[in-house]
Amino acid sequence: MSLVDVEVYRELKSALRASLPEERLIDDPLRTLAYGTDASFYRLVPQLVVRPENEAELRVTLAECRARRLPVTFRAAGTSLSGQAVTDSVLIQLGRGWRGHQISDEGRTIRLQPGVIGARANQLLAPFGRKIGPDPASINSCMIGGIAANNASGMCCGTAQNSYRTLRDLRVILADGALLDTADPDSVAAFRRSHGALLAGLERLSAETRGNAELAERIRHKYRLKNTTGYALNSMVDFSDGIEILKHLMIGSEGTLGFISAITYETVVDESHKAAALAFFPDMATTCRATIALKRSPVSAVELMDRAALRSVEREAGMPEVLRTLPEGAAALLIDVRGNDAAELQARLDGVQATLEGIQTLEPVTFTHAADTYALYWKIRKGLFPAVGAVRETGTTVIIEDVAFPIERLDEGVLALTDIFHRHGYAQAILFGHALEGNLHFVFPQGFEKPGEVERYQALMDEVAQLVGVEYGGSLKAEHGTGRNMAPYVELEWGADAYALMWEIKALFDPENLLNPEVILSRNPTLHLENLKPLPAAHEIVDKCIECGFCEHVCPSKDLTLTPRQRIVITREVARLEALGNTADEVDAARLAALRADLGHAVDATCAVDGLCATQCPVGINTGDLVRDMRHRRLSRHAGMARRIGQHFDGVTRLARGSLRVAGAVNRLMGDTLMARAAQGARRLSGERLPLWTPALPMAAPVRVLRRSPESEGDRPRVVYLPSCATRMFGPDRRDDGESRSVMEITLALLERAGFAVVIPERVDGLCCGMAFRSKGQFDEADHKGRELNRELLVASENGRHPILCDTSPCTLQMQEHLDACLTLHEPVAFAHDHLLPRLALTPVDERIAVHVTCSSTHMGLADKFVALARACAREVVVPTEITCCGFAGDKGFTTPELNASALAGLAEQVAGCSAGYSNSRTCEIGLSEHGGIPYRSILALLDRASAAV
C-alpha cells in the first residue's frame, strides 16, 4: 500500500473521531488482523476497523468513507465460510449496540437487530413455542445480520422457512446513508419521495424480467432449490412494487447493497416433541432413493452423511458401535421427526417407518426420544465441518463446497460429483448435507503451499461448477452465500442475461461499488485463488483449529480484547513471522515487533482460561491451555518463588486474611468513595500492578469455625468437607444485610442439619487444589499441591470410602481432573441436589432470585441441576442470558478488573428486582456482587434459608 493510501485511512480515522470514541477506531496490527479474520480460507487485513454502536454512527462512517471512495465491509459474527466478511479496506464490526429485540403478536413476529445471535432469538421465542425459520448449523454462534445477509438456511427450514420467505419487514441503510424502515409508513413515503429513481429502476427491471419468459422460468426453477448464488432474482418475479423488491433483494445480498439494521421475522411453530434416528444404508444410491421417498413423509429434516463423514465421528462418545463396522460405500441418514404432542409425533413416526419399508437398511431403523441422544446426533452432524479440519495435515486449510441438485437427480449427481473429487486427487473429501433439498456439502483438506496445488484446486472448481451449475441446473451455493470463492462462477451458473441483471441491480444501489466489492459479483476470474489464508504450525494445542468461530460467543473477553479464535489467529501469525527468520523484510519485522508488544494484554492478561471455548468447539480445543502454556514458558523463571509460596500456603492465606482486615478498617475510616479513588490512584501509580480494591471486597473469613471438637458420630454418614483456599480467605460481603456468615459456617450448618458427620482434613490451612498455580503457568507447583491434597483426602476419606464436598465449583473441577479416581468428589450444586435435598424439609423463600452458572458447572454438566436446585428453594429464579464466565478468574477481578466488567456488562439490568444472587464460587460472587448490584452468595446459603431438618 502506498503512502498516499495510508494517509487516506489516517484522515478517515481523524474525521471519525468527531463522532466515535478513539477506542472504537482500531488500526493496530494485532486487532486489525484478529478482527478481520472469518471462517473462510481467505485472509485480508483491514486498514481500519470501525465499531459504530448505532445507526447515527454507522451513517457517519458510511458518509466519511464515501467522501474518500473507500470500500466498506460489514461484519457480524464472522462465521462466514465464503469470504464475505473480510476486507483490506474498512471493516464495520457490530458490537453490543446491535443486540436489541422486540417480540410482537404473542411471538408470531420478532424484530431483531443484526448483532443478536441466532440461538438467542430462539431462546427469546421459546416461551411462545415458536422460533425463527432459518436454522444454520452455526446458529449458536452466527448473528442475525449474517443469517439474513447470506440467506442462511440450515437443517429443517428448507426453502419455505428461510429469511426470504419469513421476512415481514426490515430497516436498512443504503450506501448513500438513506434509511428505510419498511414497517413505518412515514419512512416508506419519505423514501418513495427521496429515492423514487431507485424504486422505479427496480420496478422496471422486474417488469423486464417477468416479460422475458425464458429468464423468468429459469429464475423460478433455480429457487425451487436452495440457492444463494448471486442476488435474490426471485424478488424480480415474486414482486412488482419497488419497496417489496428492495426488501427481498437485501436478503442474501451479503452486505453489497446495504446494511440491515433490523429485521422483522414471521416466526414458525417450534414443535416440542422430537425424535431422531440414524438409518444406515448399504450404498449411496440406496440412501438417495430413501431420501426421495422421505421427501413425501412427515419429516422435519433428513441429513445425509457418507462413509467418510461417519468415519470422522465414529469414535465420538455415545456414537453407535455399528459405525465402526460399516462397509465401505455405506451411508447414513439422520432422520428428524417432530410433533406438537406425543400422539402427533408417534403418528408421524409410523408414517416414516412405513415409507422406509422395502428399502434395504444395514440395521433396523430405531428412533430415539431421549433428549441427550437426540442432542448428540445433532451435535455430531453440526460439527462435521470442523471435525474434518481437526484431522487435516498441519499447514493445510479446509474447504467446504455447498451445492444443490434437483432432488429427482440427487443420486446421479452425487455419484458424478464424487467421481470428480476422486479424479482430481481429493480422496479425503467427505459428503454430508440437507438431503431433502438436494443440498450437499463436500468438505476436503487443501494445501496451497506446494507447487501445483492452486492449479489443482482451480481445475476441480471449474469442473464442479460446470457439472452442478450447467449440466444439472443446480446451485453452486445453496446456503453459504456466494462470497469470494464462487463469485467468478456466478455468470456460468446463471447465464449472461441474469448476470447482467445482477450488475444492474448493484449499480442502482451502489453505483460507486463501495459496499463489499468483489463479493457476489466480480470481473476477476481468479478471485477465488487470491488472498488465501495461511495456517502455519503454531502450537500443538491449536494447530487443528480451522477458525470457524463457534467458540466466540461464550468467551468473557469477546467484547474487550480477543476471542479464542482470534488468540489462535495471532499465535499463528507470530509463528509465521518468526519462521521467516533472517529472510523477513522490514515490514514483516516491524509487524512481528508490533504483535509481540500487544500480546501480553490482548492474548494473555485478558484470557480467563476458563475453557468454555472447548465446550463449544466441535473438536474440543481449549484455548485456555494455549495461554497457560504461554504463561508457563514465560514465567518458568519464577518456579522457585511458586515453590516457596506452595510450601508456606497456610501463611499466605493468613496474610490474605490480615490484608482484608486492614483494608476493611481503612475502608470504614475513608468510606467507599474516597477509598475507591485512593485505590485507583495507587493502581495507576503502580503501572496497573497493584490489585484494584472494590466495594464488594469481602471481610476476612473466620477460619476458627474449622477448629471443631470431635462429635459422637453414631450412625450418621460421614462426609469430608474441604473448604477451598478462597473460602478460607474471603468471608461474607460486609454490605450484605441478609447474610453475615461465611461459606464455611453455612456449609457446616447445612451438613449438620442434614444429619452428616463432618470430617475436616488435617492441615487444611495449607491445602490447595493447585488451580491457583496452574492458571499462572506454574505447572510443577500445581502438580505438587495436587499430590499433597490427594494424600490428605485419601486419609480423611479412608481411601475414598466417604464422599468429599468442596465448597467451590472450579476447585472441584480441578480436583476431578487431577486427583485419584477412587476419591468421590462433589461441588456444592451436585452435593446439595443429590444428597442434601432428600434429607431436608423445604419451604421455598418467597423471593425473586438470580443464579449464575459458573464455567466449571458448565464443564461438569450441572447447569440443569443448578437451576432445579434454585427453583426448589425460591419462588422465582432468573438465569441471566448471554452471561457465561464472569471473568473474575480467581484473581483477575482484582488484577484485570476490566475483564470482569466486560464479561458482566448488562448483568445489573437482567437481575434488577432480585433480592439476591447465588453461585458456587466465592471469588466469582465478588465480581457478580460488584457488577450485578445485588449481593451474590453461595447456593448453599439459599438452601440453608429454605430448609429445615426432617
Side-chain angles (χ1 to χ4, degrees):
M1 178 173 290
S2 69
L3 292 177
V4 174
D5 291 333
V6 170
E7 187 58 34
V8 170
Y9 288 102
R10 287 176 180 165
E11 290 177 5
L12 172 63
K13 182 178 181 181
S14 178
L16 289 175
R17 284 194 188 101
S19 302
L20 283 82
E22 179 80 22
E23 63 267 20
R24 290 198 269 118
L25 302 171
I26 299 158
D27 60 359
D28 61 89
L30 185 144
R31 290 184 295 169
T32 51
L33 172 62
Y35 298 163
T37 299
D38 69 1
S40 74
F41 55 97
Y42 297 102
R43 170 154 300 162
L44 291 168
V45 180
Q47 295 300 307
L48 181 67
V49 177
V50 183
R51 286 179 160 176
E53 291 294 334
N54 52 55
E55 290 177 341
E57 292 181 351
L58 179 72
R59 295 170 80 178
V60 167
T61 302
L62 288 176
E64 295 293 350
C65 291
R66 191 171 67 254
R68 294 164 179 80
R69 297 186 59 80
L70 294 175
V72 300
T73 294
F74 307 115
R75 172 177 174 135
T79 57
S80 310
L81 293 167
S82 303
Q84 299 97 318
V86 297
T87 180
D88 56 2
S89 183
V90 178
L91 184 72
I92 297 179
Q93 187 179 41
L94 302 187
R96 283 196 172 115
W98 300 97
R99 298 176 187 172
H101 69 272
Q102 181 181 356
I103 298 174
S104 303
D105 195 16
E106 298 183 330
R108 289 179 178 83
T109 63
I110 185 169
R111 188 178 177 98
L112 298 161
Q113 288 190 300
V116 176
I117 290 175
R120 171 63 176 147
N122 286 340
Q123 187 180 40
L124 293 165
L125 290 166
F128 303 94
R130 304 186 74 85
K131 62 179 182 176
I132 61 173
D135 61 337
S138 58
I139 196 167
N140 289 333
S141 306
C142 64
M143 294 177 181
I144 293 298
I147 290 175
N150 291 301
N151 197 20
S153 47
M155 322 297 186
C156 301
C157 83
T159 56
Q161 296 180 350
N162 61 21
S163 292
Y164 183 93
R165 297 296 180 191
T166 58
L167 170 65
R168 167 72 66 88
D169 284 295
L170 56 73
R171 191 173 171 94
V172 61
I173 298 173
L174 300 184
D176 62 1
L179 172 63
L180 168 64
D181 187 342
T182 67
D184 180 357
D186 292 338
S187 176
V188 172
F191 190 83
R192 288 190 187 278
R193 291 191 298 270
S194 63
H195 286 70
L198 169 61
L199 296 176
L202 293 176
E203 291 169 358
R204 173 183 57 81
L205 292 177
S206 171
E208 291 174 356
T209 302
R210 283 181 282 116
N212 183 335
E214 181 181 350
L215 176 57
E217 179 53 35
R218 191 186 322 150
I219 291 171
R220 293 187 181 99
H221 163 74
K222 298 287 284 183
Y223 288 102
R224 292 188 186 102
L225 311 176
K226 279 189 175 183
N227 191 344
T228 60
T229 309
Y231 289 124
L233 294 187
N234 45 342
S235 61
M236 292 292 164
V237 296
D238 291 343
F239 307 99
S240 58
D241 175 70
I243 293 292
E244 287 297 322
I245 297 170
L246 182 153
K247 189 166 69 175
H248 288 82
L249 273 173
M250 285 295 156
I251 303 301
S253 63
E254 301 177 31
T256 64
L257 301 182
F259 174 81
I260 300 172
S261 65
I263 182 171
T264 301
Y265 280 108
E266 295 178 348
T267 63
V268 301
V269 173
D270 185 13
E271 295 169 316
S272 57
H273 288 66
K274 304 174 183 179
L278 277 176
F280 303 105
F281 301 91
D283 51 56
M284 185 59 71
T286 305
T287 309
C288 291
R289 286 197 298 273
T291 299
I292 294 171
L294 287 168
K295 182 75 172 177
R296 302 184 297 272
S297 297
V299 292
S300 294
V302 175
E303 294 293 303
L304 183 149
M305 292 169 277
D306 73 353
R307 184 66 185 93
L310 295 171
R311 190 176 295 113
S312 72
V313 297
E314 65 186 14
R315 299 192 180 277
E316 293 285 339
M319 292 304 291
E321 287 291 328
V322 68
L323 259 65
R324 304 181 190 180
T325 62
L326 291 175
E328 205 60 39
L333 294 177
L334 171 55
I335 306 171
D336 187 294
V337 182
R338 303 180 183 184
N340 289 301
D341 53 46
E344 183 176 49
L345 174 61
Q346 188 56 53
R348 291 178 176 179
L349 288 173
D350 293 342
V352 171
Q353 292 284 19
T355 298
L356 292 174
E357 286 183 10
I359 299 176
Q360 182 184 1
T361 59
L362 296 175
E363 296 281 327
V365 178
T366 304
F367 282 87
T368 180
H369 296 74
D372 54 348
T373 306
Y374 178 93
L376 173 67
Y377 286 170
W378 277 111
K379 180 180 179 181
I380 294 297
R381 161 58 189 89
K382 293 179 179 182
L384 280 175
F385 169 48
V388 173
V391 297
R392 76 190 190 286
E393 181 181 345
T394 300
T396 63
T397 188
V398 175
I399 293 176
I400 181 168
E401 291 307 328
D402 165 40
V403 303
F405 292 102
I407 184 68
E408 64 274 9
R409 302 187 68 186
L410 178 61
D411 54 347
E412 56 181 297
V414 168
L415 294 176
L417 198 53
T418 302
D419 179 63
I420 289 175
F421 275 80
H422 282 271
R423 281 194 289 102
H424 286 277
Y426 291 93
Q428 293 178 291
I430 73 166
L431 181 153
F432 60 93
H434 319 312
L436 284 182
E437 307 300 329
N439 178 195
L440 300 174
H441 304 319
F442 273 91
V443 179
F444 55 92
Q446 172 71 59
F448 291 111
E449 300 298 322
K450 297 178 182 178
E453 283 298 296
V454 172
E455 292 77 11
R456 182 168 73 112
Y457 174 67
Q458 181 177 12
L460 172 76
M461 291 303 300
D462 288 348
E463 194 166 345
V464 167
Q466 180 68 29
L467 174 79
V468 177
V470 179
E471 293 180 27
Y472 281 82
S475 307
L476 289 173
K477 280 295 179 184
E479 60 177 2
H480 293 166
T482 309
R484 295 176 177 274
N485 65 330
M486 207 54 72
Y489 297 101
V490 174
E491 184 175 10
L492 177 69
E493 174 178 333
W494 274 102
D497 50 355
Y499 192 59
L501 173 59
M502 293 181 191
W503 277 108
E504 287 190 77
I505 291 169
K506 174 68 170 174
L508 283 173
F509 283 90
D510 181 24
E512 296 176 283
N513 196 25
L514 296 180
L515 298 185
N516 216 3
E518 299 294 279
V519 170
I520 294 186
L521 302 181
S522 174
R523 303 195 189 279
N524 180 355
T526 61
L527 178 72
H528 60 309
L529 307 175
E530 300 171 4
N531 301 303
L532 301 171
K533 179 192 292 183
L535 291 174
H539 194 288
E540 60 182 6
I541 292 175
V542 299
D543 281 346
K544 57 188 177 180
C545 173
I546 61 167
E547 301 176 9
C548 67
F550 284 13
C551 57
E552 293 191 319
H553 71 285
V554 297
C555 180
S557 62
K558 62 181 179 293
D559 293 316
L560 178 65
T561 52
L562 302 180
T563 64
R565 167 169 64 174
Q566 292 163 353
R567 288 184 170 90
I568 292 171
V569 167
I570 298 304
T571 301
R572 283 174 165 160
E573 180 67 357
V574 169
R576 184 186 72 83
L577 293 172
E578 288 177 340
L580 295 176
N582 295 331
T583 65
D585 58 25
E586 291 184 9
V587 174
D588 286 333
R591 184 175 180 78
L592 177 60
L595 292 177
R596 284 173 171 168
D598 291 337
L599 281 174
H601 182 70
V603 175
D604 183 348
T606 54
C607 179
V609 298
D610 59 15
L612 281 183
C613 46
T615 68
Q616 302 300 308
C617 175
V619 292
I621 296 172
N622 185 341
T623 312
D625 289 340
L626 169 70
V627 174
R628 273 188 288 263
D629 188 65
M630 290 178 173
R631 293 172 184 173
H632 174 67
R633 297 182 185 190
R634 190 182 79 253
L635 301 174
S636 58
R637 64 185 184 278
H638 298 307
M641 175 63 73
R643 179 81 275 267
R644 288 190 290 275
I645 292 173
Q647 289 174 328
H648 303 286
F649 203 71
D650 54 344
V652 171
T653 56
R654 282 199 304 273
L655 178 62
R657 288 192 295 273
S659 300
L660 288 170
R661 294 188 188 98
V662 171
V666 175
N667 181 211
R668 286 191 292 274
L669 290 174
M670 299 178 67
D672 284 356
T673 302
L674 190 57
M675 182 78 167
R677 289 176 182 169
Q680 289 168 353
R683 181 170 165 79
R684 281 195 299 270
L685 289 173
S686 71
E688 308 295 317
R689 293 184 180 87
L690 283 178
L692 182 65
W693 177 88
T694 168
L697 190 70
M699 297 185 286
V703 292
R704 61 182 180 279
V705 301
L706 300 177
R707 314 290 183 252
R708 296 161 54 85
S709 302
E711 300 177 12
S712 174
E713 293 181 17
D715 59 354
R716 293 187 299 165
R718 296 178 68 181
V719 60
V720 178
Y721 171 41
L722 174 67
S724 72
C725 58
T727 52
R728 299 199 307 269
M729 290 186 286
F730 298 116
D733 187 337
R734 61 184 177 81
R735 305 171 303 170
D736 186 356
D737 296 331
E739 183 56 77
S740 60
R741 297 171 299 165
S742 69
V743 175
M744 292 180 292
E745 293 171 289
I746 294 168
T747 304
L748 291 169
L750 260 180
L751 291 173
E752 182 71 24
R753 184 181 306 154
F756 286 98
V758 180
V759 178
I760 306 293
E762 294 290 335
R763 297 169 36 211
V764 67
D765 289 343
L767 297 181
C768 170
C769 68
M771 183 172 60
F773 296 95
R774 188 168 300 279
S775 66
K776 299 293 189 296
Q778 299 296 341
F779 297 158
D780 290 342
E781 187 54 26
D783 291 340
H784 178 85
K785 296 303 289 184
R787 290 192 296 269
E788 180 181 67
L789 176 61
N790 194 68
R791 289 194 298 270
E792 294 296 326
L793 291 180
L794 285 171
V795 172
S797 68
E798 299 181 17
N799 290 322
R801 179 183 174 190
H802 308 297
I804 300 163
L805 168 64
C806 177
D807 54 23
T808 301
S809 177
C811 297
T812 311
L813 178 63
Q814 168 78 10
M815 291 188 291
Q816 286 180 349
E817 294 174 349
H818 296 280
L819 301 191
D820 283 2
C822 70
L823 297 174
T824 306
L825 302 166
H826 298 274
E827 57 81 71
V829 167
F831 190 83
H833 185 277
D834 298 344
H835 299 283
L836 295 181
L837 281 183
R839 305 172 70 91
L840 296 169
L842 290 186
T843 304
V845 298
D846 187 23
E847 297 174 14
R848 183 174 189 256
I849 62 100
V851 297
H852 173 72
V853 180
T854 53
C855 49
S856 52
S857 298
T858 300
H859 278 289
M860 291 185 278
L862 295 175
D864 291 342
K865 282 188 178 181
F866 208 136
V867 176
L869 175 61
R871 286 177 175 160
C873 297
R875 167 178 52 83
E876 183 180 357
V877 177
V878 174
V879 184
T881 59
E882 300 185 280
I883 302 288
T884 53
C885 171
C886 70
F888 207 92
D891 63 353
K892 284 194 177 295
F894 302 126
T895 62
T896 315
E898 63 272 24
L899 175 61
N900 185 222
S902 181
L904 296 181
L907 175 65
E909 291 81 0
Q910 295 195 61
V911 301
C914 294
S915 59
Y918 296 89
S919 192
N920 55 1
S921 169
R922 188 67 194 96
T923 51
C924 295
E925 290 151 18
I926 297 171
L928 291 162
S929 298
E930 174 70 13
H931 298 288
I934 59 174
Y936 270 79
R937 310 162 184 153
S938 169
I939 188 67
L940 296 178
L942 177 62
L943 179 58
D944 179 70
R945 294 181 60 207
S947 66
V950 175

